[in-house]
Amino acid sequence: MTADDEFERALERAAVRLGVAERVCVLTGAGVSAESGVPTFRASDGLWEGHRIEDVASPFGFQRDPQLVWTFYNARRANVATVKPNAGHHALKAMEDRWGDRFTLVTQNVDGLHRAAGSKNVLEIHGSLHRTRCTLCREIADRGLEPLPELPACHCGAMLRPDIVWFHENLPEDIWEAAITAAHQCDVLLVVGTSAVVHPAASLVPIAKRSKSPGATVIEVNLTPTEASAFADIGLYGPSGQVLPRLVEQLG
Ligand code: OAD
């Protein structure tokens, strides 16, 4: 059997499992936005666009040099302002249309592209580039992607930070609880474009797998196998912007 035949068989099996699923949960990572032109995180040099992760994505980095952190996030905001959702985002929106409120999209992405594609039931467990949070009064504000000052301040006078979950920080409790519930309840978990190395996000995969008997069917969509592959019943290896529309088409 050729690799193409194997892929087609896996696609058929995935569509059959999805077709009988009562509840569907999706976990997405940076890979789903790669074809839109948003860079993924884990380059082989371990740096994010030339910066050490600790310097730009941790509370300590922000304390040390808020200007550097804002320069980094303003550049990411400016990049995201120029990109559009791709066929993978649109396919996930089409799935939400099919399952309605029995479909939950959990994303680690902060780029807002799932919402831009029209997805509604989206749990942004790592926050959003669109929002700021006050370091003092904690007010969260949606700023869209308009350019922000180099060191933006809150109306209360204190410094603002991006409303992003950084390393060494906890996920927003209510959003994370909702994600766990969706993983527990789903019949199929679709794991798309994530290296599945960052926890607790990646733990949604074993949670779904072990939540009930016989456990959710885990379908992985990625360019390559990942840390999640050990839990995957079906692997669809290829760009999500091509694989997800094929899956929707196969579902009929
Ligand atoms: P990573 O950069 O770790 O992984 C991206 C994954 O996408 C890899 O497994 C790639 O193989 C895959 N990929 C790349 N292009 C793809 C495509 N066109 N189609 C399908 N898959 C593709 O990104 P994440 O797993 O999202 O956290 O990283 C998780 C978290 O680590 C991020 O949310 C971020 C980072 O630290 C925070 O900012 C808190």
Side-chain angles (χ1 to χ4, degrees), residues 101-250:
D101 59 10
R102 292 174 291 114
F103 182 91
T104 307
L105 177 43
V106 182
T107 188
Q108 299 166 85
N109 298 346
V110 295
D111 55 31
L113 288 177
H114 287 303
R115 289 188 194 280
S119 290
K120 295 214 163 45
N121 197 8
V122 184
L123 300 173
E124 294 174 320
I125 57 174
H126 287 169
S128 170
L129 284 173
H130 288 240
R131 295 191 303 264
T132 56
R133 192 188 330 150
C134 179
T135 53
L136 187 66
C137 74
R138 312 264 167 224
E139 185 181 280
I140 291 173
D142 192 334
R143 317 249 162 198
L145 292 169
E146 76 198 37
L148 290 173
E150 282 185 3
L151 258 185
C154 179
H155 55 76
C156 78
M159 195 158 29
L160 290 174
R161 56 165 282 176
D163 187 29
I164 304 270
V165 178
W166 285 327
F167 286 94
H168 312 295
E169 293 186 318
N170 292 328
L171 272 52
E173 211 170 308
D174 49 340
I175 296 177
W176 178 238
E177 285 300 321
I180 291 179
T181 302
H184 263 299
Q185 292 181 341
C186 71
D187 304 297
V188 170
L189 175 72
L190 205 53
V191 185
V192 185
T194 177
S195 56
V197 295
V198 172
H199 287 267
S203 61
L204 290 177
V205 183
I207 286 173
K209 194 75 203 157
R210 294 174 185 149
S211 61
K212 41 186 180 177
S213 180
T217 298
V218 175
I219 303 172
E220 177 169 58
V221 177
N222 201 303
L223 295 181
T224 57
T226 68
E227 295 288 313
S229 305
F231 299 98
D233 300 281
I234 302 171
L236 298 172
Y237 297 107
S240 51
Q242 293 174 29
V243 173
L244 292 174
R246 287 288 322 277
L247 190 53
V248 168
E249 184 187 281
Q250 190 87 25

Side-chain angles (χ1 to χ4, degrees), residues 14-23 98-99 187-188 251:
V16 167
R17 297 285 185 104
L18 270 169
V20 295
E22 183 74 20
R23 286 178 183 275
R98 182 183 176 116
W99 276 276
D187 304 297
V188 170
L251 264 168

